[in-house]
Amino acid sequence: VFVLSAINGFEHEVKQQLMGKDAHLEVTLYHFDPMGNYDSLAKVIQLQAEVVSVSPFIMTKTIISRGKAQDGIVLMGIDPIRSQGVIDLQSTIKQGSYNLDSALDEKGKMHPSIILGWALAARLGAEIGDKVFLADFTGSGGLSAGQLSPRIGAFVLTATFESGMYQYDENLAYLSLEASQKMFGMRGEASGIQVKLKDPERSGEVARHLEEHLGYPYRALDWKTKNFTLIKWMGYEKVLVALALAIIIIIAAFNIISSLVMAVNDKRREIGILRAMGATRSSIMRIFMVEGSLIGLLGSCTGLALGLFSYWIQWRFKLITLPGDVYFVTVLPVRLDWIDVVSVMVGTNILCLLATVLPSLRAAHHNPLEAIRHE
């Protein structure tokens, strides 16, 4: 029960993080070419029945630096207002305030704002109000007379966010859409449109409908397709864990077999007397099946209580932590699914009942005369 709740919690947490920090689906051009008509396209998408809100975005890879520290990152340019209806960045702010307009640096000079993941900011040694630099090698800079001359932009750190997914926190930065367009030479252009849906589980269906409705050269990529490998892996993981737990239960059921076999051997005389008094084989068999089933029921109820208690302890106090640089989350998440609980209880007791059949048959087929004579 506890292990399956951990698997469910991990799966739920990862999906929530994927849906919260990323759009339910994105509409882009094939080959991710810059999109010039994103405002008119956003209006068309907004009219779809399943769509809640839309927002244009720019996504690119760049280099960020502060002092001697530098790193390659993924940069998202978003509309500070419209994006709030699509992604959940504002609620994850850890330090500072949600500000993607502009801010003053330590010298009192105004620069565009930037928001970094807390792990990225820590790696750069950047504090709120510090100035960081971005470099663009794809715009009007590039190679000039054999020299590398990238466009350099200065930005003031106004906030850090903690998404709960370490991979995001150490690699992601946010700018305003306007600042991104200016920095990367995309005046009046965007990478695509982010879309939030009423039901994110139907994202694949809505993506196919949008592609048919918009036609070439537009493509719609939903969050499940973008994270297909991860979602598949989580599904396989739960199946494999369930199989491993089933094997453990089967091994435990063998203890019931051995204990009943010993009980049958110890009660040979009593079985013979009952059979001589007129007890049928089926009644003798039922005695030992009921005994084994009660052992299984008592054990499964005790195990269920311990499993639910362990679940509550972790859910309430979050005692088990995880390294964020290895896993997507920093605390082992747990989520109770009552279908799993019922399945475990029913499956366990069915296995325990089956385990009683062999020793019960052996007891039922004892010859009463031989049993009494032997004793």
Side-chain angles (χ1 to χ4, degrees), residues 60-66 69-75 114 132-142 148-155 175 180 182-185:
T60 186
K61 294 181 179 179
T62 186
I63 293 176
I64 188 170
S65 63
R66 179 183 179 273
Q70 60 181 359
D71 207 344
I73 62 169
V74 175
L75 186 71
I114 189 171
V132 297
F133 296 90
L134 298 178
D136 171 35
F137 295 88
T138 62
S140 60
L148 191 62
S149 55
R151 178 190 289 112
I152 303 295
F155 301 85
L175 287 180
S180 300
K182 183 178 179 181
M183 175 67 200
F184 299 101

Side-chain angles (χ1 to χ4, degrees), residues 336-368:
L336 196 64
D337 188 340
W338 287 106
I339 294 178
D340 287 341
V341 174
V342 173
S343 299
V344 168
M345 282 293 292
V346 172
T348 299
N349 285 283
I350 287 176
L351 285 172
C352 292
L353 179 62
L354 292 176
T356 65
V357 173
L358 186 60
S360 299
L361 282 172
R362 183 176 177 181
H365 284 82
H366 272 324
N367 188 316

Side-chain angles (χ1 to χ4, degrees), residues 263-277 279 284 287-288 371-372 375:
V264 169
N265 289 332
D266 289 342
K267 301 297 181 180
R268 287 170 62 93
R269 179 172 179 272
E270 287 80 359
I271 293 171
I273 293 173
L274 288 174
R275 291 282 286 117
M277 292 172 63
I284 297 296
I287 290 172
F288 288 95
I372 295 173
E375 294 297 334

Side-chain angles (χ1 to χ4, degrees), residues 113-116 121 126-132 155-160:
S113 301
I114 189 171
I115 297 176
L116 304 178
E127 302 286 345
I128 302 300
D130 287 345
K131 188 163 58 176
V132 297
F155 301 85
V156 175
L157 179 62
T158 55
T160 61

Side-chain angles (χ1 to χ4, degrees), residues 4 7 21 34 86 109 204 278 290 295 310 325 339 342 363 371 375:
L4 289 178
I7 297 293
K21 307 306 174 291
V86 179
K109 188 176 180 179
V290 168
I295 293 171
S310 301
D325 55 344
I339 294 178
V342 173
E375 294 297 334

Side-chain angles (χ1 to χ4, degrees), residues 17-18 20 29 48 68 74 103 142 161 227 246 256 277-279 305 367:
Q17 297 294 350
L18 292 175
L29 294 173
Q48 304 302 309
K68 295 183 179 181
V74 175
F161 67 88
N227 302 282
I256 294 179
M277 292 172 63
N367 188 316

